[in-house]
Amino acid sequence: MTEDPAGRIVITLDLDGVTDKAGLMDRCARALGLPEWFGRNWDALADSLSDDTLWPAGAVERGLLVVVRGWRAYAEARPEEWQVAEEVFAEATDRGAGLFVTLGPGGSSKQGPDQPG
């Protein structure tokens, strides 16, 4: 975890290599430190993201920024699933005061940065 200029705690959700929902759920569980009982479904992800009792120490007071990177391959492989994932991220942000989820670079962290256009 790192911090951003606004003082929020930052978690990077790296989806490099993820091409399906199961992989996304596993990465979310690992990156976000979700409990063993995390249900690995869309509703459970939305609930877990917006549940500030599951956030890292200090995030309730300072805010939590989740930066999703390496997402493009998943979005291209499973566009319908990716659309649901984006909706879940938006819903959790709406429900969780102090939670922000943003898309970072879409390409692999092993490649150069994404180019505009």
Side-chain angles (χ1 to χ4, degrees):
M1 287 182 283
T2 60
E3 295 181 32
D4 77 338
R8 297 173 292 201
I9 294 190
V10 179
I11 294 177
T12 300
L13 174 57
D14 191 348
L15 300 183
D16 188 27
V18 171
T19 57
D20 63 13
K21 179 181 172 185
L24 171 72
M25 294 297 167
D26 288 344
R27 292 283 175 93
C28 287
R30 191 172 336 141
L32 301 168
L34 299 178
E36 290 291 319
W37 47 262
F38 168 60
R40 287 180 162 70
N41 61 61
W42 299 120
D43 289 336
L45 181 57
D47 291 345
S48 295
L49 282 168
S50 59
D51 182 352
D52 63 15
T53 66
L54 299 177
W55 294 0
V60 172
E61 298 80 19
R62 297 171 37 201
L64 178 62
L65 173 62
V66 178
V67 179
V68 183
R69 62 176 297 126
W71 52 268
R72 191 170 312 278
Y74 178 44
E76 291 171 354
R78 306 274 177 119
E80 296 84 14
E81 282 183 15
W82 180 247
Q83 182 178 1
V84 174
E86 287 184 301
E87 290 169 4
V88 166
F89 295 147
E91 177 187 335
T93 298
D94 289 345
R95 289 176 24 193
L99 173 68
F100 302 88
V101 180
T102 188
L103 297 182
S108 169
S109 58
K110 296 175 183 122
Q111 301 171 350
D114 289 344
Q115 298 299 316

